[in-house]
Amino acid sequence: VTDTIMTLANHIRVAPDAMVAEAARLKRQGYRLVALTAVTGAPEQLDVLYHFDRELRLEHRRVTLPLGAALQSITAVYPAAFLVENEIQEQFGLQFSGLEPNYQGRLFLDHDSPRAPMAPAASGEAARHPAPSSSAAGDSASNEGA
Amino acid sequence: MTRTLIPFGPQHPVLPEPLHLTLDVSNEVVTAAVPVFGFVHRGLERLVERRDFRQMIQVVERVCGICSTMHALCYCQCLEELMAIAIPPRARYLRVVWAELHRIQSHLLWLGLFADSFGFESLFMQCWRIRERMLDLNQATAGNRIIPAVNVIGGVARDLGGKAQGQILTTLEALERDTGRLAGTLFEDATVRQRTSGKGRLTGPEAYELGAVGPTLRASGVAQDVRQLGYAAYGELEFAPVVESDGDCLARTRVRYREIAQSIALVRTALERLPAGEIAVPPGARKPHGEAIGRVEQPRGELLYYVRADGSAHLTRLRMRTPTFANAPTLGAMLPGVELADVPVILLSIDPCVSCTER
């Protein structure tokens, strides 16, 4: 109907270790960072989508990596990415290296929140409804290691 | 030189919603500011696991009370893309009418809160008095004062008959008169200028690099507005973004003030050209499948939704990037170098919506 609605058919796959260089290339071409989106796709895998735009035309990059892997932060190229990278880090458990400032899992979550609530491992009923008393001790213990 | 760390918020007289800033202050001058969120985080994105894709309209409308219509519009546009639904022309125009009425009440709410941030109580009350007209209009045309639940997948849920259109036009006339009277105080009053002019300056390149959106971006001279893409009926309404170049709190006020007049004009034109016909296409038994991105220009700026569906009744992922989330990093550029007393005014100048940011 209009070109506002962009399907993701036009995304380009990028290897995890090439994403910072790709972001730097797009920035040189005048692209603005719009957002990052983490999506759990195939089992044990996480997709991170990078959305950029120039004169309102969107460009998407897709990085696929195994759950629990680390990804280089793009904050050296786009400093404003710190908020969304911190969000993905705490919600999906994906560690960003070189992330500054690093909220250490305390951007939106609290010390007694479920850990990485959007990660596939957390989709069980237990993680969705943590028992208020019994799991609190476990959560705070595991948080100390973070 | 005394260095002090000052916790600003989450409870602060100037903040309608809880937000915290850790301010590094040296002799009353801010040297660094780090925003801290998490006081009202609800995890709404995960509700897709429990609510089907139709019920999610009610959920996204409640992400934020001040831009509810825009969330539903963005969500419905994504779903219509995934379900290959072309909505009727009348619905496209009606979506513009309600979206712009919504923008007017949001900007008036902000103007009031902004006046409050520099202690101008009577200006705050005047702005909110005028805003009441828009809430009454919401109730008359959509049945709700705060959440006009008009968007559905396939079009809109309500039509605007001749009487409702007349009510809108009469209210807009009164609104135009009332907001016209605010201009002298907002832009000429010496005390207002003292608190807003030259404060919280953000250059165009800075705003663009930091990913700023909406009036925060356009007040720094960058002519970017998602409505330029022509979604709903904007492509047929000769839309051009409102831009200011000074990049300070006064420029951001000017952009929003001028956008009220622009929204009034857009509603009038949309009603003049309102096509006859159906207001919605029933989606039937179709289910969404695939990935889509939707973008809408909310009062605070670009709203982006990512939706992923596998053909079942429940979406597999819904992600919302709200305008305040995009504008928050600009505080790190605006606040260093300003006096502590100017922090509330500058913080309010990005029109922060914490409910949106925390979802």
Side-chain angles (χ1 to χ4, degrees):
Chain A
V1 182
T2 72
D3 58 359
T4 313
I5 314 295
M6 312 281 294
T7 59
L8 278 167
N10 54 354
H11 72 261
I12 294 172
R13 279 192 181 279
V14 175
D17 54 4
M19 192 55 225
V20 176
E22 177 66 3
R25 192 180 70 80
L26 287 166
K27 192 178 179 188
R28 278 196 301 276
Q29 291 177 6
Y31 280 90
R32 179 179 72 104
L33 177 70
V34 179
L36 268 68
T37 301
V39 197
T40 50
E44 302 300 309
Q45 277 191 349
L46 188 69
D47 278 358
V48 180
L49 303 167
Y50 292 75
H51 315 285
F52 301 89
D53 90 345
R54 190 173 64 183
E55 290 167 4
L56 291 171
R57 306 296 306 183
L58 283 169
E59 276 283 331
H60 311 285
R61 297 291 180 269
R62 183 186 296 261
V63 171
T64 302
L65 64 173
L67 281 178
L71 187 59
Q72 183 69 35
S73 163
I74 60 162
T75 46
V77 182
Y78 288 100
F82 79 92
L83 266 188
V84 67
E85 288 186 346
N86 269 292
E87 185 184 22
I88 293 172
Q89 185 165 276
E90 71 172 25
Q91 299 288 327
F92 287 86
L94 168 69
Q95 295 301 311
F96 282 92
S97 52
L99 174 55
E100 183 58 40
N102 191 334
Y103 285 73
Q104 306 288 350
R106 295 288 181 277
L107 178 67
F108 292 136
L109 300 183
D110 207 348
H111 67 277
D112 56 355
S113 309
R115 304 289 308 278
M118 300 286 282
S123 7
E125 283 300 307
R128 229 177 278 171
H129 305 290
S133 53
S134 61
S135 71
D139 275 351
S140 57
S142 57
N143 281 342
E144 280 166 15
Chain B
M1 296 287 275
T2 318
R3 181 178 171 235
T4 317
L5 278 180
I6 295 186
F8 181 97
Q11 302 302 326
H12 187 283
V14 83
L15 292 171
E17 294 178 281
L19 168 69
H20 175 88
L21 288 176
T22 303
L23 298 173
D24 203 329
V25 176
S26 187
N27 287 347
E28 292 287 308
V29 174
V30 177
T31 54
V34 179
V36 180
F37 300 94
F39 304 98
V40 289
H41 184 254
R42 293 154 291 167
L44 291 177
E45 290 178 354
R46 263 196 69 177
L47 265 184
V48 292
E49 293 170 13
R50 298 199 192 177
R51 303 279 179 262
D52 73 30
F53 68 90
R54 293 178 207 86
Q55 294 171 316
M56 281 308 289
I57 299 176
Q58 279 81 51
V59 174
V60 300
E61 276 171 344
R62 281 152 185 82
V63 168
C64 163
I66 311 306
C67 36
S68 59
T69 298
M70 307 296 198
H71 277 281
L73 174 58
C74 197
Y75 178 79
C76 289
Q77 287 187 358
C78 281
L79 270 286
E80 284 153 10
E81 169 72 21
L82 291 179
M83 295 160 81
I85 297 171
I87 70 165
R90 189 175 177 87
R92 291 193 289 112
Y93 277 75
L94 289 174
R95 280 182 173 181
V96 169
V97 171
W98 269 301
E100 294 309 316
L101 292 178
H102 216 63
R103 188 181 319 278
I104 295 171
Q105 66 80 20
S106 177
H107 280 357
L108 284 167
L109 176 126
W110 176 80
L111 273 174
L113 293 175
F114 189 58
D116 183 54
S117 76
F118 47 81
F120 203 151
E121 293 300 317
S122 55
L123 182 57
F124 158 67
M125 288 178 209
Q126 287 301 327
C127 294
W128 279 40
R129 181 185 63 79
I130 300 169
R131 177 174 176 259
E132 277 300 301
R133 292 185 189 279
M134 303 311 294
L135 301 186
D136 291 344
L137 195 57
N138 277 351
Q139 187 166 19
T141 60
N144 271 335
R145 278 166 60 79
I146 301 296
I147 302 181
V150 287
N151 289 294
V152 290
I153 297 165
V156 288
R158 281 174 180 258
D159 203 352
L160 289 176
K163 191 180 160 204
Q165 291 183 33
Q167 232 172 334
I168 293 175
L169 293 172
T170 313
T171 306
L172 290 185
E173 217 169 289
L175 186 88
E176 205 168 33
R177 196 179 55 236
D178 286 350
T179 51
R181 287 183 187 142
L182 294 176
T185 312
L186 280 172
F187 305 118
E188 306 303 332
D189 184 278
T191 57
V192 176
R193 288 191 71 95
Q194 210 174 10
R195 297 304 308 276
T196 58
S197 179
K199 306 288 185 190
R201 217 180 268 281
L202 190 69
T203 66
E206 275 173 341
Y208 190 81
E209 184 181 342
L210 291 169
V213 293
T216 307
L217 178 66
R218 292 192 287 280
S220 293
V222 182
Q224 183 156 314
D225 187 312
V226 179
R227 287 174 286 178
Q228 288 168 287
L229 285 172
Y231 66 89
Y234 288 105
E236 296 150 39
L237 295 171
E238 298 91 39
F239 174 81
V242 171
V243 185
E244 290 280 338
S245 55
D246 288 348
D248 57 0
C249 290
L250 186 61
R252 291 189 271 280
T253 311
R254 279 189 199 283
V255 167
R256 294 191 183 95
Y257 181 81
R258 288 175 55 202
E259 283 189 354
I260 294 175
Q262 181 187 47
S263 294
I264 294 174
L266 282 168
V267 173
R268 283 179 178 151
T269 317
L271 287 179
E272 256 167 44
R273 301 183 191 170
L274 189 62
E278 293 298 313
I279 57 165
V281 181
R286 270 180 281 191
K287 297 265 171 47
H289 195 278
E291 284 177 295
I293 291 272
R295 288 196 289 173
V296 158
E297 187 72 19
Q298 240 194 28
R300 289 158 190 78
E302 172 196 59
L303 172 70
L304 179 137
Y305 268 48
Y306 166 87
V307 171
R308 182 168 173 158
D310 61 1
S312 73
H314 293 262
L315 301 176
T316 50
R317 178 87 168 99
L318 170 65
R319 188 255 194 281
M320 318 164 191
R321 202 285 271 120
T322 60
T324 302
F325 196 94
N327 281 329
T330 63
L331 292 171
M334 287 184 208
L335 291 175
V338 310
E339 288 190 22
L340 186 59
D342 287 329
V343 171
V345 179
I346 295 168
L347 173 61
L348 259 284
S349 78
I350 69 161
D351 196 359
C353 178
V354 179
S355 294
C356 271
T357 310
E358 306 215 7
R359 296 151 299 183

